[in-house]
Amino acid sequence: MKTDPRESALLEGLARNDRQAIETIYKQHYTMVQSLILNNNGSVDDARDIFQEAMIVLYEKARSGTFELNCLLKTFIYSVCRRLWLKKLQQQQKMAPVPDENGMDQLVSVEEEVDSYGQRNMDFQHMEKAMQQLGEPCRSLLDAFYLQKRNMIDIASHFGYTNADNAKNQKYKCLMRLRKLFFAAHKNNAL
């Protein structure tokens, strides 16, 4: 796979400690990492730490001069963050014992946990694909409401709706459209 010239430029900028390149990588990918961590028993602080660790890994690879990016930068960052987060979960022993019907503690196997994360990862990829197909302004509207946690009055003002109810109706339509795209992607992958 040939590396996108824009992503190569970002990596070169990162290797030079270029502030703009670092900010661009952060802006383009942090939200994805935060969603990964928050959906897997983590906090915003955990997401920041994991993203920072991934940036250090990427920085060291970019500085090495021998690093070849064979996938999208987004895929690389996601993969590194997921691996770091799984490792941290294992270190924190978040796989707490689950009592069985006899009241005895039963450990959840690592394989089950990894399978669960694999499924979540697949769902996340389907959702991301659906979001890309959704288009504007729906994508920005849902992002503003669900990820940025902005209220409907603020969203109505920002997107030019006459009131919060109209913005809420549009959000609902966008959500239904996203849901349809998500399940279509999920169904196509299952076939």
Side-chain angles (χ1 to χ4, degrees):
M1 178 178 180
K2 192 171 180 176
T3 305
D4 184 323
R6 292 172 293 186
E7 294 196 337
S8 294
L10 286 176
L11 287 176
E12 290 170 14
L14 178 64
R16 291 189 317 267
N17 265 336
D18 177 60
R19 184 182 177 96
Q20 188 175 3
I22 294 168
E23 285 179 2
T24 301
I25 293 170
Y26 189 92
K27 285 178 185 172
Q28 289 179 346
H29 305 294
Y30 176 74
T31 303
M32 167 188 71
V33 173
Q34 182 175 302
S35 296
L36 168 71
I37 303 302
L38 292 178
N39 291 327
N40 290 287
N41 303 321
S43 66
V44 171
D45 287 339
D46 291 328
R48 288 186 188 127
D49 290 345
I50 293 294
F51 190 81
Q52 190 60 33
E53 286 182 51
M55 287 294 288
I56 291 168
V57 169
L58 187 61
Y59 172 77
E60 289 174 352
K61 289 198 175 286
R63 296 267 310 178
S64 74
T66 59
F67 177 61
E68 288 185 32
L69 187 63
N70 295 318
C71 59
L72 294 174
L73 185 56
K74 173 184 179 179
T75 305
F76 180 83
I77 290 172
Y78 183 83
S79 175
V80 169
C81 289
R82 189 180 68 171
R83 196 172 321 128
L84 289 170
W85 182 238
L86 286 173
K87 185 176 175 183
K88 188 170 184 174
L89 284 176
Q90 288 171 345
Q91 288 172 346
Q92 293 175 344
Q93 297 177 345
K94 286 247 178 179
M95 296 187 325
V98 177
D100 65 11
E101 57 194 35
N102 298 324
M104 303 291 288
D105 289 346
Q106 182 180 8
L107 293 176
V108 176
S109 74
V110 173
E111 290 81 15
E112 287 178 32
E113 198 68 19
V114 169
D115 287 346
S116 172
Y117 282 109
Q119 181 59 47
R120 286 185 199 162
N121 184 30
M122 185 68 74
D123 289 344
F124 184 77
Q125 289 174 354
H126 289 153
M127 180 57 74
E128 195 166 304
K129 184 178 177 184
M131 283 292 283
Q132 288 172 355
Q133 293 173 340
L134 187 61
E136 294 295 340
C138 282
R139 186 177 10 199
S140 295
L141 197 152
L142 294 177
D143 183 72
F145 184 77
Y146 289 106
L147 298 178
Q148 298 173 19
K149 308 289 185 195
R150 293 166 68 178
N151 65 44
M152 293 313 289
I153 295 171
D154 185 31
I155 290 172
S157 171
H158 179 78
F159 288 90
Y161 295 107
T162 53
N163 58 46
D165 287 336
N166 287 342
K168 190 175 179 180
N169 286 337
Q170 186 60 41
K171 179 191 69 100
Y172 177 77
K173 290 176 185 175
C174 291
L175 189 60
M176 291 300 103
R177 187 163 170 231
L178 177 65
R179 187 177 176 178
K180 188 175 178 180
L181 291 168
F182 171 80
F183 284 112
H186 203 278
K187 183 179 176 183
N188 287 339
N189 195 45
L191 295 177

